[in-house]
Amino acid sequence: MGSFLFIVALLVVAWMAVIGPHLRDQRPDWHWYLTGFPRTALRVVVTWRKVAHLNDLTVSHKPNRRLLGDLAVKGEPLRTRVPRLSFPQPTPNGLSVLVRLHPGQTPEPFLAAADALAHAWRVHAVRIVSPERGVVLITASASDPLEHPHRPTGEVSASLLSAAVGTLETGHAWVMDFRRVPHWLIVGATRSGKSTLIARLITELAPQPVALVGVDCKGGMELGLFERRLSALATCRSEAIAVLGALVVDMQDRMRICRAAGARSIWELPEEQRPMPVVVIVDEIAELYLTSGGKEQRAEAEQCSTYLLRLAQLGAALGMHLVVAGQRVGSDLGPGVTALRAQLSGRVCHRVNDPGTAEMVLGDLNKDAVAVAQSIGEAEQGVAVTTGELGGWMRGRSHLTTPTEAQLTAAEYAGLAPRLRGIVRALEDLNGGEDV
């Protein structure tokens, strides 16, 4: 017996001194499965009844009103039933449990009790969603994975027009999938992480057979790092008009091809006839809309607005996708901005300077998402609230791409950048026939 206890003690010491720290640093998911999850799961099961009672998550067997003669008396029920809790299921950075609601219960009290559950279970955060009627899904995160966005998050299946740009608060990869969500809006204050996200997005799309078109009216300071991989780069509004106009003409050609083949999208065409997908990245959209009031500038802004809106409305089925970024994308920029924003169903909101910006980006998703976006601090560069499948929104943090990495990526995949003849011709006409 003494020898057995001695061996157990040696194993415990070895775990604490060597194996445990190594797993925590190299494979935090394994460390969680082996050590954190058993303790937390036991704590959830043991404390559930008490936590449910203290936070009014129970129901009574009998009504809380009684008649004493002609007098109605109301009181707190003494016999209550706790909702049934499933056994905790592990996730890479926490656990999840399903709660079956009793008749008459709604998810609102569970939403209000999220902080209480996080403290009782000693976890970083608790998210409450209702995936179906009569059920509440409680997801607990053991730690904040956004503090270490470069840690392993599991394998991500590579597919066309899909880019793993960072880490979600669940510990899984943050994936922007243009086949599922065709157009994206990225909003945030200066130095909030917009450029970091765009750089990672282009880096992930660069190896794919996709045409990348950039519109960077800040002289190409941001997207110019990827110029060798881009099929076209517009650095001023007149160039943007030429590029976007050529894309609209190309979109009409794709419509004719689909109509002739009896297809409703390019994805129904045979692979040999399918046009290459195009992703248009617009950095700082305000530069396309703001004018000094002159007639010519107003006409240019309206033309840009028309082209962008047509691409957003008709481009998804034709393999043309938009990524629009700006500090604020509101009606104060000019006519057509609100209609464009409504077409951009993918939303990403970094730190913002005013509540109205967060509201216009996330207000139609969830009020909680607006509050979370406003709570992002200056030190959390790259952290954002984005649309997600679970509950409509999720916090995420994009991976950093250095300028050197951006230039190396552009050079490595420069041969994959297709020359879009319509855009090249439009830019040559703009530049007086000079080669672009």
Side-chain angles (χ1 to χ4, degrees):
M1 185 66 180
S3 300
F4 175 75
L5 293 177
F6 179 72
I7 294 173
V8 171
L10 285 178
L11 291 175
V12 171
V13 171
W15 171 266
M16 296 179 62
V18 181
I19 303 176
H22 176 75
L23 281 179
R24 185 173 57 249
D25 295 335
Q26 302 299 322
R27 292 304 303 264
D29 50 346
W30 286 13
H31 184 268
W32 163 251
Y33 289 138
L34 293 173
T35 61
F37 171 71
R39 294 198 308 267
T40 307
L42 180 61
R43 193 177 295 125
V44 169
V45 173
V46 171
T47 62
W48 172 244
R49 179 173 293 275
K50 185 174 182 179
V51 172
H53 279 290
L54 292 176
N55 290 276
D56 297 326
L57 305 180
T58 61
V59 296
S60 174
H61 283 283
K62 299 179 180 180
N64 58 357
R65 293 178 182 269
R66 292 293 180 89
L67 289 176
L68 297 179
D70 295 332
L71 184 64
V73 179
K74 180 181 179 181
E76 294 296 327
L78 296 178
R79 292 185 177 181
T80 57
R81 289 189 298 173
V82 176
R84 189 175 60 179
L85 185 78
S86 70
F87 189 80
Q89 299 297 315
T91 64
N93 186 47
L95 55 82
S96 62
V97 290
L98 280 175
V99 179
R100 298 286 177 183
L101 301 181
H102 290 300
Q105 283 191 302
T106 62
E108 279 72 19
F110 292 85
L111 292 170
D115 285 340
L117 294 174
H119 285 284
W121 298 344
R122 302 177 191 175
V123 294
H124 170 72
V126 167
R127 282 281 304 275
I128 312 289
V129 298
S130 180
E132 59 181 277
R133 297 296 185 183
V135 174
V136 166
L137 175 63
I138 303 178
T139 305
S141 300
S143 60
D144 189 359
L146 303 188
E147 293 180 0
H148 307 282
H150 288 287
R151 285 185 171 182
T153 55
E155 295 294 329
V156 179
S157 58
S159 59
L160 183 63
L161 289 172
S162 179
V165 296
T167 303
L168 294 174
E169 62 182 347
T170 58
H172 294 97
W174 176 6
V175 178
M176 295 175 66
D177 188 350
F178 289 90
R179 294 289 301 275
R180 185 175 62 86
V181 182
H183 309 303
W184 288 82
L185 173 64
I186 303 173
V187 171
T190 302
R191 302 188 65 82
S192 64
K194 297 192 307 297
S195 298
T196 301
L197 176 57
I198 292 174
R200 175 53 59 175
L201 174 64
I202 298 176
T203 300
E204 293 292 320
L205 292 176
Q208 302 182 24
V210 174
L212 301 176
V213 176
V215 177
D216 182 1
C217 290
K218 293 186 296 184
M221 289 191 304
E222 298 292 346
L223 301 185
L225 295 172
F226 295 95
E227 187 169 9
R228 295 182 63 183
R229 174 58 181 88
L230 300 179
S231 296
L233 175 61
T235 58
C236 63
R237 186 157 51 196
S238 58
E239 290 182 355
I241 292 173
V243 168
L244 296 175
L247 287 173
V248 170
V249 173
D250 185 26
M251 183 174 64
Q252 293 169 343
D253 292 338
R254 297 180 181 213
M255 289 181 189
R256 285 190 286 270
I257 293 173
C258 289
R259 185 175 66 242
R264 292 176 296 178
S265 74
I266 66 169
W267 306 108
E268 296 179 4
L269 295 172
E271 189 171 353
E272 62 274 7
Q273 298 180 16
R274 186 182 305 152
M276 180 174 289
V278 179
V279 178
V280 183
I281 300 102
V282 182
D283 191 21
E284 203 54 68
I285 190 174
E287 295 298 320
L288 296 180
Y289 283 84
L290 295 179
T291 69
S292 60
K295 183 177 180 180
E296 183 178 352
Q297 290 192 11
R298 288 201 309 270
E300 288 182 346
E302 290 176 4
Q303 200 168 9
C304 280
S305 175
T306 301
Y307 286 152
L308 285 171
L309 186 56
R310 294 197 67 187
L311 289 171
Q313 288 178 330
L314 305 173
L318 301 169
M320 291 193 167
H321 307 276
L322 282 179
V323 178
V324 175
Q327 296 185 36
R328 179 180 172 87
V329 185
S331 58
D332 51 318
L333 292 183
V337 175
T338 303
L340 174 63
R341 189 179 69 218
Q343 296 294 328
L344 308 176
S345 54
R347 305 292 177 87
V348 179
C349 184
H350 293 83
R351 175 178 57 83
V352 293
N353 292 326
D354 63 290
T357 301
E359 178 69 33
M360 75 173 61
V361 178
L362 301 171
D364 54 349
L365 294 177
N366 193 297
K367 296 299 181 183
D368 292 341
V370 176
V372 172
Q374 293 180 67
S375 69
I376 299 174
E378 293 185 4
E380 298 178 288
Q381 188 173 7
V383 175
V385 176
T386 181
T387 51
E389 296 179 358
L390 185 61
W393 63 273
M394 189 77 64
R395 288 173 67 241
R397 190 169 198 164
S398 54
H399 290 163
L400 177 64
T401 301
T402 65
T404 301
E405 291 173 343
Q407 292 173 335
L408 290 175
T409 299
E412 182 179 0
Y413 299 107
L416 296 181
R419 286 179 62 84
L420 303 177
R421 290 190 297 271
I423 293 180
V424 172
R425 193 181 307 115
L427 290 176
E428 288 176 350
D429 292 342
L430 181 67
N431 294 319
E434 296 182 7
D435 292 338
V436 177

